[in-house]
Amino acid sequence: MATAIDQLRVDLLSQVAAAASSAALEEVRVSALGRKGAITEQMKTLGQLPPDERRAAGQAFNALKDEVAAALEARKAGLESAELEARLAQERIDVTLPARPQPDGRLHPLMQTWDELVAIFGEMGFVIAEGPDIEDDWHNFTALNIPEEHPARQEMDTFYLQEHDGHRPVLRTHTSPVQIRTMLTQKPPIRIIVPGRTFRSDHDATHSPMFHQVEGLVIDESTHMGHLKGTLIEFCRAFFGIDDLPVRFRNSHFPFTEPSAEVDIGCSRKGGGLTIGAGDDWLEILGSGMVHPKVLEYCGIDSTKYQGWAFGMGIERIAMLKYGIPDLRTMYDSDLRWLRHYGFMPLDVPSMLGGLAR
Ligand code: DAH
Protein backbone atom coordinates (compact mmCIF):
# COMPACT_ATOMS: atom_id res chain seq x y z
CA MET A 1 0.00 0.00 0.00
CA ALA A 2 2.79 2.40 0.99
CA THR A 3 4.40 2.23 -2.47
CA ALA A 4 1.02 2.85 -4.15
CA ILE A 5 0.54 5.96 -2.03
CA ASP A 6 4.07 7.14 -2.80
CA GLN A 7 3.46 6.62 -6.50
CA LEU A 8 0.20 8.61 -6.34
CA ARG A 9 1.98 11.34 -4.42
CA VAL A 10 4.72 11.76 -7.03
CA ASP A 11 2.12 11.67 -9.79
CA LEU A 12 -0.20 14.26 -8.33
CA LEU A 13 2.53 16.66 -7.23
CA SER A 14 4.07 16.60 -10.69
CA GLN A 15 0.65 17.29 -12.25
CA VAL A 16 0.23 20.28 -9.92
CA ALA A 17 3.67 21.59 -10.88
CA ALA A 18 2.94 21.12 -14.59
CA ALA A 19 -0.45 22.97 -14.62
CA ALA A 20 0.11 26.04 -16.81
CA SER A 21 -3.03 28.05 -16.00
CA SER A 22 -5.66 28.41 -13.27
CA ALA A 23 -8.10 26.48 -15.47
CA ALA A 24 -5.65 23.55 -15.92
CA LEU A 25 -4.91 23.60 -12.19
CA GLU A 26 -8.63 23.35 -11.41
CA GLU A 27 -8.80 20.22 -13.58
CA VAL A 28 -5.92 18.72 -11.59
CA ARG A 29 -7.71 19.53 -8.33
CA VAL A 30 -10.89 17.79 -9.46
CA SER A 31 -9.01 14.73 -10.74
CA ALA A 32 -7.07 14.44 -7.46
CA LEU A 33 -9.46 15.51 -4.69
CA GLY A 34 -12.88 15.50 -6.38
CA ARG A 35 -15.59 12.98 -5.53
CA LYS A 36 -14.37 10.74 -8.31
CA GLY A 37 -10.75 11.81 -7.97
CA ALA A 38 -7.71 9.53 -7.66
CA ILE A 39 -7.25 9.88 -3.87
CA THR A 40 -10.95 9.35 -3.17
CA GLU A 41 -11.06 6.28 -5.41
CA GLN A 42 -7.97 4.77 -3.72
CA MET A 43 -9.38 5.43 -0.24
CA LYS A 44 -12.40 3.32 -1.17
CA THR A 45 -10.09 0.27 -1.24
CA LEU A 46 -9.13 0.77 2.42
CA GLY A 47 -12.00 -1.46 3.55
CA GLN A 48 -10.31 -4.46 1.98
CA LEU A 49 -7.18 -4.10 4.20
CA PRO A 50 -6.73 -5.87 7.53
CA PRO A 51 -7.58 -3.49 10.43
CA ASP A 52 -3.99 -2.73 11.57
CA GLU A 53 -2.82 -1.83 8.06
CA ARG A 54 -6.03 0.07 7.39
CA ARG A 55 -5.27 2.59 10.11
CA ALA A 56 -1.75 3.40 8.91
CA ALA A 57 -2.90 3.61 5.29
CA GLY A 58 -5.82 5.88 6.28
CA GLN A 59 -3.41 8.28 8.00
CA ALA A 60 -1.07 8.21 5.00
CA PHE A 61 -3.97 9.07 2.64
CA ASN A 62 -5.08 11.95 4.85
CA ALA A 63 -1.54 13.29 4.94
CA LEU A 64 -1.35 12.97 1.14
CA LYS A 65 -4.63 14.84 0.77
CA ASP A 66 -3.31 17.71 2.89
CA GLU A 67 -0.05 17.80 1.01
CA VAL A 68 -1.73 17.88 -2.41
CA ALA A 69 -4.22 20.53 -1.20
CA ALA A 70 -1.33 22.71 0.04
CA ALA A 71 0.57 22.24 -3.23
CA LEU A 72 -2.57 23.22 -5.20
CA GLU A 73 -3.02 26.33 -3.06
CA ALA A 74 0.58 27.43 -3.53
CA ARG A 75 0.53 26.81 -7.28
CA LYS A 76 -2.81 28.69 -7.56
CA ALA A 77 -1.42 31.79 -5.88
CA GLY A 78 1.62 31.72 -8.18
CA LEU A 79 -0.44 31.29 -11.35
CA GLU A 80 -2.94 34.01 -10.42
CA SER A 81 -0.31 36.61 -9.80
CA ALA A 82 1.41 35.70 -13.09
CA GLU A 83 -1.92 35.97 -14.91
CA LEU A 84 -2.62 39.35 -13.33
CA GLU A 85 0.83 40.58 -14.36
CA ALA A 86 0.16 39.45 -17.93
CA ARG A 87 -3.24 41.21 -18.05
CA LEU A 88 -1.82 44.41 -16.62
CA ALA A 89 0.91 44.40 -19.23
CA GLN A 90 -1.56 43.73 -22.04
CA GLU A 91 -4.26 46.19 -20.99
CA ARG A 92 -1.97 49.09 -20.34
CA ILE A 93 -3.25 52.36 -21.84
CA ASP A 94 -1.02 55.02 -23.19
CA VAL A 95 -2.26 58.21 -21.58
CA THR A 96 0.04 60.25 -23.76
CA LEU A 97 -1.94 59.38 -26.95
CA PRO A 98 -3.82 62.35 -28.46
CA ALA A 99 -7.59 62.52 -27.69
CA ARG A 100 -9.99 60.94 -30.21
CA PRO A 101 -11.56 63.57 -32.47
CA GLN A 102 -15.07 64.80 -31.53
CA PRO A 103 -17.86 63.40 -33.74
CA ASP A 104 -18.54 65.81 -36.57
CA GLY A 105 -22.37 65.62 -36.53
CA ARG A 106 -24.51 68.48 -35.27
CA LEU A 107 -28.05 68.77 -34.00
CA HIS A 108 -30.14 71.13 -36.16
CA PRO A 109 -31.06 74.28 -34.18
CA LEU A 110 -34.72 73.51 -34.84
CA MET A 111 -34.41 70.13 -33.11
CA GLN A 112 -32.38 71.73 -30.31
CA THR A 113 -35.20 74.25 -29.80
CA TRP A 114 -37.75 71.40 -29.87
CA ASP A 115 -35.78 69.64 -27.10
CA GLU A 116 -35.62 72.86 -25.07
CA LEU A 117 -39.40 73.33 -25.30
CA VAL A 118 -39.95 69.76 -24.17
CA ALA A 119 -37.47 70.23 -21.29
CA ILE A 120 -39.14 73.42 -20.03
CA PHE A 121 -42.76 72.27 -20.30
CA GLY A 122 -41.77 68.78 -19.12
CA GLU A 123 -40.43 70.31 -15.89
CA MET A 124 -43.80 72.04 -15.49
CA GLY A 125 -45.63 68.71 -15.71
CA PHE A 126 -46.83 68.77 -19.33
CA VAL A 127 -46.78 65.53 -21.31
CA ILE A 128 -46.30 65.19 -25.07
CA ALA A 129 -49.26 64.41 -27.35
CA GLU A 130 -49.15 63.75 -31.09
CA GLY A 131 -51.54 63.65 -34.03
CA PRO A 132 -51.42 62.95 -37.77
CA ASP A 133 -49.92 65.36 -40.33
CA ILE A 134 -52.86 64.61 -42.66
CA GLU A 135 -56.00 65.80 -40.93
CA ASP A 136 -59.63 66.03 -41.83
CA ASP A 137 -61.57 69.20 -42.19
CA TRP A 138 -63.51 68.55 -38.97
CA HIS A 139 -60.47 68.24 -36.62
CA ASN A 140 -58.45 70.97 -38.32
CA PHE A 141 -61.25 73.57 -38.59
CA THR A 142 -64.83 72.74 -37.62
CA ALA A 143 -64.26 71.38 -34.10
CA LEU A 144 -62.00 74.37 -33.45
CA ASN A 145 -64.92 76.66 -34.17
CA ILE A 146 -63.33 77.99 -37.36
CA PRO A 147 -66.20 79.20 -39.56
CA GLU A 148 -66.65 78.23 -43.24
CA GLU A 149 -65.64 81.66 -44.50
CA HIS A 150 -62.47 81.91 -42.38
CA PRO A 151 -59.38 82.76 -44.50
CA ALA A 152 -57.42 79.84 -42.99
CA ARG A 153 -59.77 77.49 -44.87
CA GLN A 154 -59.13 79.01 -48.27
CA GLU A 155 -57.56 76.98 -51.06
CA MET A 156 -54.73 79.46 -51.42
CA ASP A 157 -53.58 79.01 -47.80
CA THR A 158 -54.11 75.31 -47.20
CA PHE A 159 -52.84 72.15 -48.91
CA TYR A 160 -55.95 70.08 -49.61
CA LEU A 161 -55.76 66.47 -50.73
CA GLN A 162 -58.23 64.71 -52.98
CA GLU A 163 -61.69 64.22 -51.56
CA HIS A 164 -62.23 60.76 -50.16
CA ASP A 165 -65.31 59.23 -48.46
CA GLY A 166 -67.01 62.62 -48.43
CA HIS A 167 -64.07 64.17 -46.49
CA ARG A 168 -61.51 66.59 -47.74
CA PRO A 169 -58.16 65.74 -46.10
CA VAL A 170 -55.80 68.64 -45.40
CA LEU A 171 -52.16 68.84 -44.39
CA ARG A 172 -52.79 70.25 -40.91
CA THR A 173 -52.37 74.02 -40.88
CA HIS A 174 -51.60 74.09 -37.14
CA THR A 175 -51.07 71.70 -34.21
CA SER A 176 -54.43 72.75 -32.68
CA PRO A 177 -56.36 69.69 -34.02
CA VAL A 178 -54.39 67.62 -31.49
CA GLN A 179 -56.30 69.56 -28.80
CA ILE A 180 -59.48 68.04 -30.24
CA ARG A 181 -58.01 64.54 -30.60
CA THR A 182 -56.79 64.61 -26.99
CA MET A 183 -60.05 65.91 -25.53
CA LEU A 184 -61.98 63.24 -27.44
CA THR A 185 -59.86 60.40 -26.08
CA GLN A 186 -58.74 61.54 -22.62
CA LYS A 187 -60.65 62.67 -19.57
CA PRO A 188 -59.63 65.90 -17.81
CA PRO A 189 -57.39 66.84 -16.10
CA ILE A 190 -55.36 67.32 -19.30
CA ARG A 191 -51.95 69.01 -19.52
CA ILE A 192 -50.25 68.44 -22.88
CA ILE A 193 -47.83 69.99 -25.31
CA VAL A 194 -47.82 69.06 -28.97
CA PRO A 195 -44.64 69.70 -30.92
CA GLY A 196 -45.05 68.81 -34.59
CA ARG A 197 -45.01 69.58 -38.32
CA THR A 198 -47.53 71.96 -39.87
CA PHE A 199 -48.18 73.08 -43.46
CA ARG A 200 -49.33 76.24 -45.20
CA SER A 201 -49.07 77.61 -48.68
CA ASP A 202 -46.49 80.28 -47.79
CA HIS A 203 -42.89 80.86 -48.80
CA ASP A 204 -40.66 83.80 -47.89
CA ALA A 205 -37.87 84.75 -45.47
CA THR A 206 -40.06 84.08 -42.42
CA HIS A 207 -42.49 81.44 -43.80
CA SER A 208 -41.99 77.99 -45.23
CA PRO A 209 -44.65 75.60 -46.65
CA MET A 210 -43.62 73.05 -44.02
CA PHE A 211 -42.86 74.41 -40.59
CA HIS A 212 -43.20 73.42 -36.92
CA GLN A 213 -45.41 74.49 -34.07
CA VAL A 214 -45.85 73.60 -30.45
CA GLU A 215 -49.35 73.61 -29.02
CA GLY A 216 -50.26 73.57 -25.33
CA LEU A 217 -53.54 72.62 -23.67
CA VAL A 218 -54.63 72.52 -20.02
CA ILE A 219 -58.14 71.44 -18.99
CA ASP A 220 -59.46 70.90 -15.49
CA GLU A 221 -62.16 72.11 -13.13
CA SER A 222 -60.43 75.14 -11.71
CA THR A 223 -57.59 76.34 -13.96
CA HIS A 224 -57.92 79.96 -15.05
CA MET A 225 -56.32 82.77 -17.00
CA GLY A 226 -53.89 83.47 -14.16
CA HIS A 227 -52.37 80.04 -14.75
CA LEU A 228 -52.14 80.73 -18.48
CA LYS A 229 -50.30 83.99 -17.83
CA GLY A 230 -48.01 82.61 -15.13
CA THR A 231 -47.05 79.58 -17.23
CA LEU A 232 -46.33 81.56 -20.40
CA ILE A 233 -44.35 84.28 -18.59
CA GLU A 234 -42.26 81.57 -16.94
CA PHE A 235 -41.80 79.80 -20.28
CA CYS A 236 -40.62 82.97 -22.10
CA ARG A 237 -38.12 83.77 -19.35
CA ALA A 238 -36.76 80.22 -19.17
CA PHE A 239 -36.53 79.83 -22.95
CA PHE A 240 -34.69 83.08 -23.59
CA GLY A 241 -32.69 82.74 -20.36
CA ILE A 242 -33.62 86.24 -19.16
CA ASP A 243 -35.05 86.31 -15.61
CA ASP A 244 -36.73 89.71 -15.89
CA LEU A 245 -37.78 89.51 -19.56
CA PRO A 246 -40.83 91.80 -20.01
CA VAL A 247 -43.87 89.79 -21.21
CA ARG A 248 -47.11 91.42 -22.38
CA PHE A 249 -50.55 89.90 -23.06
CA ARG A 250 -52.36 91.72 -25.87
CA ASN A 251 -56.04 91.33 -26.69
CA SER A 252 -56.58 89.28 -29.85
CA HIS A 253 -58.95 86.91 -31.58
CA PHE A 254 -58.80 83.19 -32.35
CA PRO A 255 -62.01 81.29 -33.12
CA PHE A 256 -61.14 78.53 -30.63
CA THR A 257 -60.40 80.74 -27.60
CA GLU A 258 -62.38 83.34 -25.70
CA PRO A 259 -60.86 85.59 -24.52
CA SER A 260 -57.76 85.37 -26.74
CA ALA A 261 -54.40 86.97 -26.20
CA GLU A 262 -51.23 87.36 -28.17
CA VAL A 263 -48.04 87.26 -26.16
CA ASP A 264 -45.26 89.79 -26.79
CA ILE A 265 -41.79 89.97 -25.29
CA GLY A 266 -39.78 93.12 -24.67
CA CYS A 267 -37.08 93.97 -27.20
CA SER A 268 -35.11 96.78 -28.78
CA ARG A 269 -34.81 97.44 -32.50
CA LYS A 270 -32.42 100.37 -32.18
CA GLY A 271 -29.67 100.53 -34.79
CA GLY A 272 -31.42 98.08 -37.11
CA GLY A 273 -30.66 95.03 -34.94
CA LEU A 274 -32.88 93.15 -32.54
CA THR A 275 -32.05 92.72 -28.85
CA ILE A 276 -34.42 90.60 -26.80
CA GLY A 277 -35.09 91.70 -23.23
CA ALA A 278 -33.85 95.27 -23.56
CA GLY A 279 -35.49 98.46 -24.81
CA ASP A 280 -39.03 99.72 -25.19
CA ASP A 281 -40.36 97.79 -28.15
CA TRP A 282 -42.41 94.57 -28.35
CA LEU A 283 -42.18 91.40 -30.39
CA GLU A 284 -45.06 88.95 -30.82
CA ILE A 285 -44.12 85.35 -30.16
CA LEU A 286 -47.24 83.29 -29.54
CA GLY A 287 -51.03 83.04 -29.47
CA SER A 288 -53.11 81.90 -26.50
CA GLY A 289 -56.47 82.07 -24.78
CA MET A 290 -59.16 80.39 -22.72
CA VAL A 291 -60.58 77.39 -24.60
CA HIS A 292 -63.91 78.38 -26.19
CA PRO A 293 -66.88 76.57 -24.58
CA LYS A 294 -68.04 75.50 -28.05
CA VAL A 295 -64.74 73.62 -28.55
CA LEU A 296 -65.22 71.80 -25.23
CA GLU A 297 -68.77 70.87 -26.22
CA TYR A 298 -67.61 69.57 -29.64
CA CYS A 299 -65.36 67.20 -27.67
CA GLY A 300 -68.11 66.09 -25.30
CA ILE A 301 -66.66 67.98 -22.30
CA ASP A 302 -69.16 69.73 -20.04
CA SER A 303 -68.25 73.42 -20.33
CA THR A 304 -70.16 74.29 -17.14
CA LYS A 305 -67.88 71.98 -15.15
CA TYR A 306 -64.53 72.21 -16.95
CA GLN A 307 -62.50 75.03 -18.39
CA GLY A 308 -59.05 75.41 -19.78
CA TRP A 309 -56.50 77.38 -21.74
CA ALA A 310 -54.34 76.84 -24.77
CA PHE A 311 -51.43 78.32 -26.65
CA GLY A 312 -49.57 77.82 -29.89
CA MET A 313 -46.28 79.07 -31.30
CA GLY A 314 -43.97 78.58 -34.26
CA ILE A 315 -40.78 76.67 -33.41
CA GLU A 316 -38.79 78.13 -36.35
CA ARG A 317 -39.73 81.61 -35.24
CA ILE A 318 -38.52 81.28 -31.65
CA ALA A 319 -35.40 79.38 -32.81
CA MET A 320 -34.57 82.24 -35.22
CA LEU A 321 -35.05 84.80 -32.45
CA LYS A 322 -33.00 82.95 -29.87
CA TYR A 323 -30.14 81.91 -32.14
CA GLY A 324 -30.05 84.95 -34.43
CA ILE A 325 -30.95 83.16 -37.67
CA PRO A 326 -32.03 85.83 -40.17
CA ASP A 327 -33.68 83.74 -42.92
CA LEU A 328 -35.96 80.79 -42.24
CA ARG A 329 -35.30 79.20 -45.65
CA THR A 330 -31.67 78.49 -44.69
CA MET A 331 -32.99 75.99 -42.10
CA TYR A 332 -33.92 73.64 -44.93
CA ASP A 333 -30.99 74.17 -47.30
CA SER A 334 -28.94 71.32 -45.78
CA ASP A 335 -25.79 73.43 -46.10
CA LEU A 336 -23.12 71.82 -43.91
CA ARG A 337 -21.31 75.12 -43.32
CA TRP A 338 -24.57 76.56 -41.95
CA LEU A 339 -25.14 73.50 -39.77
CA ARG A 340 -21.61 73.64 -38.38
CA HIS A 341 -22.21 77.27 -37.47
CA TYR A 342 -25.74 77.03 -36.00
CA GLY A 343 -25.79 73.36 -34.93
CA PHE A 344 -25.42 71.83 -31.47
CA MET A 345 -23.47 68.89 -30.11
CA PRO A 346 -25.86 65.93 -30.12
CA LEU A 347 -25.11 64.80 -26.57
CA ASP A 348 -25.43 68.30 -25.13
CA VAL A 349 -29.01 67.66 -24.04
CA PRO A 350 -30.77 70.71 -22.62
CA SER A 351 -32.38 70.64 -19.20
CA MET A 352 -33.69 73.22 -16.75
CA LEU A 353 -30.84 72.44 -14.38
CA GLY A 354 -28.01 71.94 -16.86
CA GLY A 355 -28.89 74.95 -19.01
CA LEU A 356 -30.65 75.26 -22.33
CA ALA A 357 -27.91 76.40 -24.69
CA ARG A 358 -24.18 76.71 -24.97
N1 DAH B 1 -53.37 77.67 -34.03
C1 DAH B 1 -52.95 79.05 -34.04
C2 DAH B 1 -52.19 79.36 -35.32
O1 DAH B 1 -51.71 78.46 -35.94
C3 DAH B 1 -52.08 79.35 -32.85
C4 DAH B 1 -52.81 79.32 -31.57
C5 DAH B 1 -53.35 80.45 -31.05
C6 DAH B 1 -52.97 78.14 -30.89
C7 DAH B 1 -54.04 80.46 -29.86
C8 DAH B 1 -53.66 78.10 -29.68
C9 DAH B 1 -54.19 79.28 -29.18
O2 DAH B 1 -53.84 77.00 -28.98
O3 DAH B 1 -54.88 79.26 -28.00
O4 DAH B 1 -52.05 80.48 -35.65
Side-chain angles (χ1 to χ4, degrees), residues 173-174 176 179 200 213 215-216 254 256-257 287-289 310-312:
T173 59
H174 49 181
S176 305
Q179 290 191 27
R200 282 183 209 172
Q213 286 190 339
E215 189 84 12
F254 300 102
F256 35 89
T257 46
S288 68
F311 58 89

Side-chain angles (χ1 to χ4, degrees), residues 48-65:
Q48 297 154 14
L49 296 176
D52 51 334
E53 276 184 46
R54 195 190 300 162
R55 204 152 162 250
Q59 282 173 352
F61 271 123
N62 282 331
L64 173 60
K65 254 182 161 175

Side-chain angles (χ1 to χ4, degrees), residues 67-349:
E67 193 180 349
V68 171
L72 281 164
E73 220 25 67
R75 180 82 186 129
K76 189 172 168 199
L79 281 172
E80 279 177 356
S81 70
E83 280 164 2
L84 183 64
E85 290 293 322
R87 259 185 69 190
L88 286 176
Q90 202 184 24
E91 292 176 6
R92 174 174 310 182
I93 43 168
D94 183 351
V95 292
T96 66
L97 280 174
R100 291 196 182 92
Q102 291 266 15
D104 207 25
R106 294 284 190 284
L107 202 60
H108 196 287
L110 196 55
M111 291 299 118
Q112 170 78 13
T113 304
W114 176 309
D115 288 349
E116 292 175 12
L117 292 167
V118 169
I120 296 172
F121 285 112
E123 291 271 321
M124 295 183 185
F126 285 75
V127 297
I128 294 177
E130 291 184 308
D133 291 356
I134 302 177
E135 263 301 357
D136 56 56
D137 192 79
W138 190 81
H139 287 91
N140 196 80
F141 299 122
T142 311
L144 287 161
N145 194 33
I146 299 177
E148 287 292 338
E149 68 282 4
H150 196 277
R153 286 191 179 232
Q154 282 168 15
E155 299 273 350
M156 53 181 284
D157 278 341
T158 305
F159 293 112
Y160 284 99
L161 280 74
Q162 254 171 19
E163 199 169 311
H164 139 101
D165 281 349
H167 291 289
R168 195 156 59 145
V170 295
L171 295 186
R172 65 178 181 191
T173 59
H174 49 181
T175 41
S176 305
V178 185
Q179 290 191 27
I180 304 299
R181 290 185 176 276
T182 306
M183 287 190 277
L184 286 171
T185 53
Q186 289 176 29
K187 286 202 164 59
I190 290 170
R191 194 188 291 167
I192 54 158
I193 54 161
V194 186
R197 270 185 298 272
T198 46
F199 308 84
R200 282 183 209 172
S201 186
D202 260 343
H203 199 40
D204 60 35
T206 52
H207 298 88
S208 140
M210 192 278 298
F211 60 107
H212 296 76
Q213 286 190 339
V214 62
E215 189 84 12
L217 175 71
V218 175
I219 306 282
D220 67 27
E221 290 183 42
S222 58
T223 193
H224 53 70
M225 191 140 186
H227 297 140
L228 176 160
K229 291 179 78 175
T231 304
L232 293 178
I233 292 171
E234 186 59 28
F235 163 74
C236 292
R237 293 181 173 165
F239 179 77
F240 289 103
I242 303 173
D243 288 345
D244 57 356
L245 177 67
V247 180
R248 173 175 88 168
F249 290 77
R250 185 167 36 78
N251 191 19
S252 181
H253 171 77
F254 300 102
F256 35 89
T257 46
E258 180 58 37
S260 305
E262 258 159 334
V263 181
D264 299 338
I265 55 174
C267 71
S268 157
R269 291 189 173 86
K270 289 212 179 72
L274 178 74
T275 311
I276 290 170
D280 51 7
D281 215 344
W282 295 98
L283 181 72
E284 180 209 319
I285 65 159
L286 64 98
S288 68
M290 300 303 292
V291 177
H292 198 295
K294 274 196 187 168
V295 174
L296 295 175
E297 297 297 342
Y298 268 121
C299 299
I301 293 181
D302 181 355
S303 64
T304 61
K305 185 168 174 209
Y306 292 103
Q307 57 182 1
W309 44 274
F311 58 89
M313 71 189 117
I315 304 185
E316 278 82 352
R317 177 165 170 76
I318 59 169
M320 287 166 74
L321 291 172
K322 181 166 176 177
Y323 296 117
I325 302 168
D327 188 328
L328 183 145
R329 289 166 295 200
T330 57
M331 292 222 184
Y332 303 113
D333 281 346
S334 301
D335 184 332
L336 273 181
R337 293 164 305 175
W338 184 91
L339 198 53
R340 282 197 190 102
H341 179 76
Y342 286 110
F344 291 83
M345 293 312 288
L347 295 178
D348 209 1
V349 182

